Amino acid sequence: CVTCQRWCCCHALQMLEDNQVLVQGMMANRYMNTFRDQVLGWNKKLMAVADVVAILTEIQRTWAYLESLFVASEEVKKELPEATVRFARIDADVKSVLADFKQVQNCVACCNKDGLLKFLEKQQTELEVCEKALADYMESKRRAFPRFYFVSTADLLDILSNGNNPVKVMQHMSKCFQAIDKLKLDAENPPAGERPKGLGMISCVGEEYVAFKQPLPLENKVESYMNDIVGKMRGELREVLRDSVADYTTKPRDKWLFDWPFQIILVVNQIYWCQEVEQAFQQMGKGDKKAMAKYNEQQVKQLTRLIEVTRTNLSKPDRQKVMNMITIDAHSRDIVANIVSGGMDKQDCFLWMCQLRSYWDSSINDCRIR
């Protein structure tokens, strides 16, 4: 098993270090001259063993890091043909050395072969060339899809090695897209040579799902279809936002909020809050000095209704949705109360201008923040 192999490896390294300490102790002994040749010979042999083991360990670490890409990923083979050929040659050469080790089955004899250390150092240098080519390749992918800059190297390697298999890439979606767990696909096990299509976005918070109006083909390179996902996500949420803005006035708020995704209701809530506050300012300009105070009373009633909703039998995601609406509404109520208590009656007053305000722009069918 793996645990036993690790224990044997650690035990062997400990024995090597212990033997080196013993030989060094012999070299410091006053009777060392009697056994000078034998002691110096063993010191040289053990140092060679330590050097070979150290460089083989480094080669193994680098090889394990690169193998999944240069061997398993067809996309990497196409993008880095020279590095792929170099890695295959290194792979064959190192395996031949290990095969010789297995045949001899004597650590000291294997590690003290003439030219072995220089040969392994050359293989390590060649692996570093492959590693540099891979680093440049990953940097090009990050430039093509900047969200890859926020993904760990190990995760990016896994994404690139499975770029032709979007089903496996889905497990990394939450690392590239905030609050999106994965896409719903039309096939979890598509036929060989075919790729699935995205049908919608599944949230990693709660139980929300936003369906795409048209399926999204996950074609071309991984950075290409990830950019397509970004565009699709923005486009679909923009359309959902437009529909939610239109739906807001058709039903009570405490019913409306359960029909739309969480982020959407918060944006629409802020849009209508800004609209209603500015309508109150306009009414005050026309002579109704209590218009803002009346709107503040309306806010209190809306908050009270939401608090009543929390006392009903709600699922955990719906309860969280209502609680966050209450938090935003309480903040909005306090802002309006400060405007009322400050005696402000103009829309360009500082207390209003210093707020982050959301407006629906029908000319672009999108929300603008001011």
Side-chain angles (χ1 to χ4, degrees), residues 26-279:
M26 293 177 190
M27 293 173 65
N29 193 286
R30 60 180 177 174
Y31 301 111
M32 186 265 192
N33 284 335
T34 306
F35 308 99
R36 184 181 184 84
D37 292 340
Q38 295 94 321
V39 172
L40 292 179
W42 274 107
N43 185 56
K44 182 179 179 182
K45 290 176 182 178
L46 293 178
M47 287 179 63
V49 171
D51 290 342
V52 170
V53 169
I55 196 168
L56 275 176
T57 301
E58 185 63 21
I59 287 174
Q60 183 182 29
R61 183 197 66 78
T62 310
W63 179 90
Y65 170 68
L66 300 175
E67 188 267 344
S68 62
L69 288 161
F70 286 113
V71 174
S73 176
E74 294 299 324
E75 183 175 344
V76 173
K77 290 179 182 179
K78 292 178 182 177
E79 295 283 343
L80 303 173
E82 293 182 7
T84 300
V85 172
R86 180 179 287 110
F87 182 82
R89 184 173 62 249
I90 297 167
D91 184 57
D93 289 344
V94 174
K95 284 180 178 178
S96 68
V97 171
L98 297 178
D100 291 341
F101 282 13
K102 183 178 180 181
Q103 185 175 1
V104 176
Q105 293 190 0
N106 184 298
C107 182
V108 175
C110 290
C111 295
N112 281 274
K113 288 184 177 180
D114 292 339
L116 176 63
L117 186 60
K118 289 184 178 180
F119 178 78
L120 293 176
E121 287 174 345
K122 180 183 177 183
Q123 304 310 309
Q124 178 61 19
T125 301
E126 291 288 298
L127 277 175
E128 289 173 357
V129 174
C130 293
E131 198 169 15
K132 175 64 167 58
L134 180 62
D136 293 342
Y137 171 68
M138 289 193 294
E139 180 63 22
S140 70
K141 296 297 182 181
R142 289 186 173 110
R143 288 196 297 268
F145 184 67
R147 293 182 186 224
F148 282 157
Y149 279 108
F150 305 101
V151 177
S152 69
T153 300
D155 287 335
L156 180 55
L157 286 172
D158 191 53
I159 291 171
L160 297 178
S161 63
N162 293 296
N164 293 329
N165 188 349
V167 175
K168 290 186 177 180
V169 173
M170 287 302 106
Q171 64 181 312
H172 299 288
M173 281 289 290
S174 61
K175 300 162 189 171
C176 301
F177 297 86
Q178 186 175 10
I180 296 181
D181 184 45
K182 60 181 179 180
L183 297 186
K184 182 180 179 181
L185 304 177
D186 61 355
E188 293 295 331
N189 296 295
E194 294 185 14
R195 295 197 189 182
K197 294 180 180 179
L199 302 179
M201 300 175 287
I202 300 174
S203 172
C204 59
V205 181
E207 300 174 354
E208 289 187 339
Y209 171 69
V210 176
F212 295 154
K213 293 188 176 180
Q214 296 293 331
L216 173 66
L218 303 177
E219 302 293 342
N220 302 317
K221 298 177 182 179
V222 61
E223 68 273 18
S224 176
Y225 66 72
M226 291 294 261
N227 277 313
D228 291 343
I229 292 173
V230 173
K232 189 71 169 177
M233 171 190 69
R234 292 172 176 169
E236 293 291 336
L237 288 179
R238 190 178 293 114
E239 291 189 17
V240 173
L241 180 61
R242 179 198 62 199
D243 295 341
S244 184
V245 168
D247 188 51
Y248 182 87
T249 56
T250 65
K251 62 186 73 169
R253 290 174 80 244
D254 56 291
K255 306 295 183 185
W256 162 84
L257 67 91
F258 294 116
D259 295 338
W260 301 97
F262 196 2
Q263 293 182 2
I264 296 298
I265 65 169
L266 294 180
V267 175
V268 175
N269 186 44
Q270 290 300 96
I271 289 172
Y272 274 95
W273 172 64
C274 291
Q275 179 179 310
E276 290 162 357
V277 169
E278 294 188 356
Q279 285 176 351

